[in-house]
Amino acid sequence: MSASNLLSLKEMTCFAARIRLETLKCVGARGFGHLGGALSIIEALAALYGGIMRIDPLNPQWPDRDKLVMSKGHAGPALYAALALKGYFPLDWLSTLNQPGTRLPSHCDRKLTPGIDMTTGSLGQGVSTAIGLALAQRMDGKDRRTYLITGDGELNEGQTWEGALFAPQHRLINLTWLVDYNRKQLDGETKDILDLGDLEAKFGAFGWATASVNGNDLAEVVKALEAARQETRKPFCIVLNTVKGAGVPGVASITLNHHIVFEGDLRAKAIAAMEAEIAALEGATT
Ligand SMILES: Cc1ncc(C[n+]2csc(CCOP(=O)(O)OP(=O)(O)O)c2C)c(N)n1
């Protein structure tokens, strides 16, 4: 898929809603999971898999593909939902999340799941591996990009700042780093644990080209990703200002919604609301 295959905003909005619904069903099938931080990055995934990334779902190992490192590997269910909807594997795999024998573990594993480019879960390490992939693409003379998604709490890891220094020095213009600035981490608010302050200014000072957008607004996310693709001098960091639990009020309103029990009324209402939203969206587009 190339940039010319970019979905329209309406199509992408439906795609995002479908990713959100399948994420809810996926975590819902297990009854618990990392739902808050999966929901906050749905728009980023809808944009990336809605035409920004050059990929071929029928050939997940295509050597000329763009790559994604989901460094916040606990958000695997959202990525699995996007991959299943793109046809990398059957949708019914989603109901096997984190169960014995599954191809979909709670954290991303590139040896188990078609379409997963890097194994992640130990926070911070995805920054280094994404830099390695971007460097390798350049050394191979490929005009390809690597996309990296980290959390904001993940930036507590010193390793991330080593990567933030390395990429601009080595002019990794094919690397785009999306920071999910949902302002919460596992056990509280990021500002109370290690305050990141003005992240865009920090990355700018490290030598990155930057954008700071509403990360749950598809149009803004797409615009920033297109700007990243046009950038010719610096790696690009997009600060996604998001809501942990975005798009699902029952989850967003839970103060500590990093890893939650998702069953009963909460699950039923969330899934019904998403199904109604999709029916309305699809009704409006036909
Ligand atoms: C090195 C490491 N330390 C601790 C953890 C446990 N852990 C998993 S998720 C998480 C919080 C991450 O917060 P953030 O990056 O903000 O993720 P988000 O809120 O976007 O889900 C922690 C501490 C881990 N996976 N890896």
Side-chain angles (χ1 to χ4, degrees):
M1 179 181 269
S2 69
S4 58
N5 290 328
L6 193 65
L7 297 179
S8 70
L9 195 55
K10 269 186 181 170
E11 290 166 334
M12 208 182 275
T13 304
C14 290
F15 183 40
R18 290 207 157 271
I19 300 174
R20 199 163 256 120
L21 174 62
E22 295 303 331
T23 303
L24 293 176
K25 288 187 184 168
C26 177
V27 174
R30 192 73 183 103
F32 57 86
H34 294 98
L35 200 48
L39 292 171
S40 52
I41 50 153
I42 301 287
E43 280 69 24
L45 292 172
L48 288 168
Y49 287 92
I52 291 286
M53 281 176 72
R54 186 185 155 108
I55 50 169
D56 179 0
L58 297 179
N59 185 7
Q61 294 303 317
W62 180 35
D64 285 342
R65 69 192 185 281
D66 289 341
K67 293 179 177 165
L68 172 68
V69 176
M70 176 61 77
S71 191
K72 41 175 266 181
H74 56 280
L79 179 51
Y80 302 153
L83 293 174
L85 287 166
K86 288 299 294 180
Y88 281 87
F89 50 82
L91 266 179
D92 62 12
W93 284 22
L94 295 174
S95 61
T96 68
L97 177 75
N98 204 13
Q99 301 196 26
T102 187
R103 304 277 303 266
L104 306 182
S106 66
H107 295 62
C108 300
D109 185 329
R110 75 182 179 87
K111 294 200 168 164
L112 281 180
T113 313
I116 296 292
D117 290 315
M118 186 51 68
T119 299
T120 51
S122 182
L123 296 172
Q125 294 189 0
V127 177
S128 306
T129 52
I131 285 173
L133 290 175
L135 202 51
Q137 283 167 324
R138 193 174 68 192
M139 289 167 82
D140 288 345
K142 290 190 191 297
D143 174 24
R144 296 294 166 261
R145 307 194 64 82
T146 295
Y147 292 91
L148 162 68
I149 299 180
T150 69
D152 52 356
E154 183 170 3
L155 302 183
N156 290 177
E157 300 293 340
Q159 183 173 7
T160 60
W161 297 102
E162 182 184 3
L165 282 172
F166 184 97
Q169 178 161 344
H170 293 269
R171 290 184 170 260
L172 290 181
I173 60 170
N174 60 333
L175 177 67
T176 304
W177 183 341
L178 300 99
V179 182
D180 181 9
Y181 203 0
N182 60 28
R183 292 180 161 72
K184 288 185 184 178
Q185 49 196 84
L186 185 152
D187 46 356
E189 292 195 30
T190 304
K191 71 173 167 39
D192 298 327
I193 297 167
L194 267 186
D195 193 0
L196 295 167
D198 185 344
L199 255 189
E200 189 185 13
K202 282 190 173 63
F203 273 89
F206 273 60
W208 292 67
T210 61
S212 177
V213 301
N214 177 344
N216 296 127
D217 180 315
L218 270 177
E220 286 195 28
V221 175
V222 169
K223 194 170 161 209
L225 285 166
E226 287 187 321
R229 219 167 26 194
Q230 302 302 322
E231 171 62 41
T232 55
R233 295 174 308 124
K234 299 174 174 184
F236 206 103
C237 174
I238 303 173
V239 178
L240 300 170
N241 296 286
T242 62
V243 171
K244 197 157 174 167
V248 183
V251 175
S253 62
I254 299 172
T255 307
L256 286 179
N257 62 3
H258 184 72
H259 185 277
I260 60 168
V261 172
F262 189 59
E263 54 188 18
D265 246 23
L266 176 63
R267 178 177 61 191
K269 281 186 184 153
I271 289 177
M274 273 322 298
E275 284 173 341
E277 190 174 322
I278 290 170
L281 282 169
E282 293 187 343
T285 54
T286 51

